[in-house]
Amino acid sequence: MGKVVAVSLSEKKGEKKRNVEFVNILEDYGIEGDAHAGGWHRQISLLALESIKKMREKGLDVNPGDFAENITTEGIDFSKIEIGTRLKVGEVLLEITQKGKVCHERCAIYYQAGDCIMPKEGVFAKVLKGGKVYPGDSIEVIKNA
């Protein structure tokens, strides 16, 4: 079982996200007030703190939200997560829809951090059941039925 380290949002795509006290996640939409929310397959983005720590070890001053992830986690190895896996995050239910992504151009995150791990180590999900998510909430990995 893992846990939520931080929750973040931004009003514009391609920017660092700001950490907030909690996020309100809407079913089949994403985080209320976040630029990436909508009726598509990448409603929520998740990145492990372990990935961020790798970038810190390279000398970069980076923190949760700097790679535009909505939920920063600890204790979940996303390299072992399969598409279709469900995550119970607090009261919210997510389904993994994509692992990594292709960045067609370098965004503000790349220029600020010197690299971006989100395309390689981040995962994306759609919202099956909404609710509020807070730092400290538990994350349970539920395998496909």
Side-chain angles (χ1 to χ4, degrees), residues 14 16-17 59 71 93 95 98 125 128:
K16 288 191 210 183
K17 295 193 182 288
I71 301 176
L93 185 61
E95 182 178 303
Q98 184 175 328
L128 301 179

Side-chain angles (χ1 to χ4, degrees), residues 31-50:
I31 293 177
E32 189 173 33
D34 186 70
H36 293 92
W40 68 323
H41 71 288
R42 290 185 357 202
Q43 297 170 345
I44 302 279
S45 56
L46 301 98
L47 183 67
L49 182 62
E50 293 84 351

Side-chain angles (χ1 to χ4, degrees), residues 66-84:
D66 287 353
F67 293 97
E69 77 277 8
N70 294 119
I71 301 176
T72 308
T73 67
E74 189 171 41
I76 304 282
D77 183 353
F78 289 122
S79 71
K80 295 180 179 171
I81 295 281
E82 297 177 17
I83 304 295

